[in-house]
Amino acid sequence: MKIAVLPGDGIGPEIVAEAVKVLRALELPLEMEEAPVGGAAYEASGHPLPPSTLALAKNADAVLFGAVGDWKYDKLERALRPEQAILGLRKELGLFANFRPAVCYKELTHASSLKPELVAGLDILIIRELTGDIYFGQPRGRRTAVDGHFPGSEEAFDTMRYSKPEIERIAHVAFQAARQRSKRVTSVDKANVLETFQFWKDVVTEVHAQYPDVELDHMYVDNAAMQLVKAPKRFDVVVTGNMFGDILSDEAAMLTGSIGMLPSASLNARNQGLYEPSHGSAPDIAGQGVANPLATILSAAMMLRYSLQRPDAADRIESAVGAVLAAGLRTPDIWSEGATKVGTRAMGDAVVEAITGKTITIKTKKS
Ligand code: IPM
Ligand code: MG
């Protein structure tokens, strides 16, 4: 099983190193090869997604990805910015199905910005379509307006579009995922305004006919944003387009109070996948050894489950993470009074110890 390891920028290298350590501890036949991506790759070779990195990713069964981006690249032309690496990988590998779980761990209920009773036991799965919509729709660009409110002035435009097969395949993914959970899907759209999302709603409804055992409801995106903070536990599987999914998944992640805990998976039709934490590169804390590696470690678990067909190994990682939380270990982002503050490496070590069945020894970080 080949894994391309792409640490990227900011805290990426630190957290990926811990996930790699955890994967090694499983003693599976995993071949891991590392390559630069994002700002790091731009510095090294002038492009955020060099051909050699892309080739490594394409030839792997799975990609373990850290994070990309730094404010210092904001002035580069768009094609050279670190974010293009992740967009390029999604497009080139055809990673259309993005799974973003938002789970509130019982030990971290109080870290949420919402009242504990609203989030206790929260377990939502956002399924975001990842290779279509206004993110990739052509044409896009800048030009002189010939109509609209100010003809003759400069304007910019993007194209929101979805083809029927694109909607069908993500709808199938959502209904099948729901069958493994509580058999409920909420499809989020903006059918009251946008033609693209009236079509989305129609196609999802049509696909639903093949899943009579799954309950489907439809919700406008503005209402979904509101319901996520009002009564988040009403959701189970949420399926939506690329743009709405980007926004709602950040909102849902924040409800759990622990974005440092949330993994994600992006899969193509062959189950080849890219696995990354839901959080970003956090350049403000990079290199300090304080970043939470658990989202990346849990992403490695998702990788074993979805792309490498080793659910047993995924379970081992997930229960090890449960064990370190239960033992009271916390990186600063999830720390609260009474818990033991640890750094990135000590957290990774503790997960390894839990996997290999040793008692967890605590190397605390001075705070
Ligand atoms: C995400 C990120 C990306 C996106 C950026 C970095 C291009 O926000 O994965 O949610 O918008 O998809
Ligand atoms: Mg986002």
Side-chain angles (χ1 to χ4, degrees):
M1 299 182 278
K2 275 201 209 148
I3 303 172
V5 178
L6 313 183
D9 307 323
I11 59 172
E14 299 161 59
I15 54 179
V16 166
E18 299 312 311
V20 166
K21 196 158 84 184
V22 167
L23 284 169
R24 291 232 161 87
L26 295 166
E27 296 182 348
L28 297 172
L30 302 175
E31 223 180 89
M32 296 190 250
E33 194 176 330
E34 203 175 301
V37 75
Y42 172 76
E43 302 284 352
S45 63
H47 196 278
L49 183 59
S52 52
T53 299
L54 179 59
L56 182 75
K58 277 190 167 166
N59 292 323
D61 298 299
V63 178
L64 182 64
F65 190 92
V68 290
D70 192 318
W71 304 297
K72 69 180 180 209
Y73 302 114
D74 282 359
K75 294 211 166 60
L76 286 178
E77 63 172 283
R78 182 174 303 282
L80 296 178
R81 289 189 209 156
E83 291 78 13
Q84 292 306 309
I86 187 71
L87 294 171
L89 283 164
R90 288 172 186 171
K91 184 174 175 200
E92 293 294 325
L93 274 69
L95 305 171
F96 71 92
N98 182 213
F99 292 73
R100 299 196 165 183
V103 173
C104 190
Y105 286 81
K106 66 175 185 302
E107 292 90 351
L108 305 178
T109 308
H110 290 273
S112 173
S113 45
L114 295 193
K115 293 189 197 106
E117 64 269 26
L118 288 182
V119 294
L122 183 75
D123 182 357
I124 302 176
L125 177 61
I126 297 193
I127 297 183
R128 168 187 177 195
E129 198 290 329
L130 203 58
T131 50
D133 203 353
I134 197 165
Y135 265 59
F136 291 97
Q138 295 289 344
R140 56 192 278 161
R142 293 191 186 205
R143 65 187 170 195
T144 302
V146 292
D147 50 15
H149 294 295
F150 295 98
S153 64
E154 204 188 340
E155 73 171 6
F157 61 102
D158 296 276
T159 303
M160 177 177 274
R161 57 190 289 182
Y162 264 122
S163 63
K164 191 168 185 190
E166 281 178 294
I167 304 170
E168 285 171 339
R169 65 181 181 178
I170 196 72
H172 282 292
V173 167
F175 290 126
Q176 281 161 21
R179 279 189 170 158
Q180 313 294 320
R181 299 170 52 100
S182 71
K183 301 199 171 148
R184 282 189 298 123
V185 172
T186 303
S187 170
V188 172
D189 63 58
K190 190 70 189 174
N192 50 346
V193 177
L194 301 171
E195 200 57 41
T196 311
F197 276 90
Q198 178 62 57
F199 187 52
W200 172 282
K201 185 174 180 177
D202 295 345
V203 175
V204 171
T205 304
E206 201 178 302
V207 173
H208 178 231
Q210 298 173 45
Y211 299 87
D213 54 320
V214 178
E215 207 181 295
L216 169 68
D217 68 338
H218 302 274
M219 199 180 276
Y220 297 143
V221 63
D222 47 350
N223 186 27
M226 183 167 76
Q227 297 302 327
L228 270 174
V229 287
K230 190 177 169 212
K233 283 191 260 182
R234 73 178 299 291
F235 295 104
D236 190 59
V237 172
V238 173
V239 64
T240 189
N242 205 345
M243 177 80 159
F244 298 156
D246 178 44
I247 300 166
L248 294 181
S249 62
D250 263 27
E251 188 187 2
M254 214 52 236
L255 299 182
T256 70
S258 48
I259 193 162
M261 299 290 304
L262 300 178
S264 78
S266 306
L267 295 172
N268 66 19
R270 291 172 291 127
N271 272 344
Q272 198 185 19
L274 182 146
Y275 298 83
E276 58 174 327
S278 284
H279 59 72
S281 56
D284 52 325
I285 58 162
Q288 296 174 22
V290 295
N292 187 346
L294 293 179
T296 317
I297 290 171
L298 290 166
S299 300
M302 284 184 105
M303 175 169 84
L304 289 159
R305 193 181 303 284
Y306 293 117
S307 286
L308 306 179
Q309 318 310 330
R310 288 301 299 255
D312 55 319
D315 286 344
R316 286 177 68 196
I317 295 184
E318 285 162 2
S319 24
V321 168
V324 301
L325 287 178
L329 271 62
R330 306 280 186 271
T331 42
D333 58 309
I334 52 173
W335 180 83
S336 62
E337 209 56 54
T340 308
K341 198 181 278 183
V342 296
T344 311
R345 280 168 68 179
M347 188 60 113
D349 289 342
V351 175
V352 168
E353 284 171 7
I355 283 177
T356 52
K358 293 197 199 112
T359 35
I360 300 172
T361 51
I362 301 170
K363 284 159 252 153
T364 49
K365 174 146 189 92
K366 284 201 211 91
S367 51

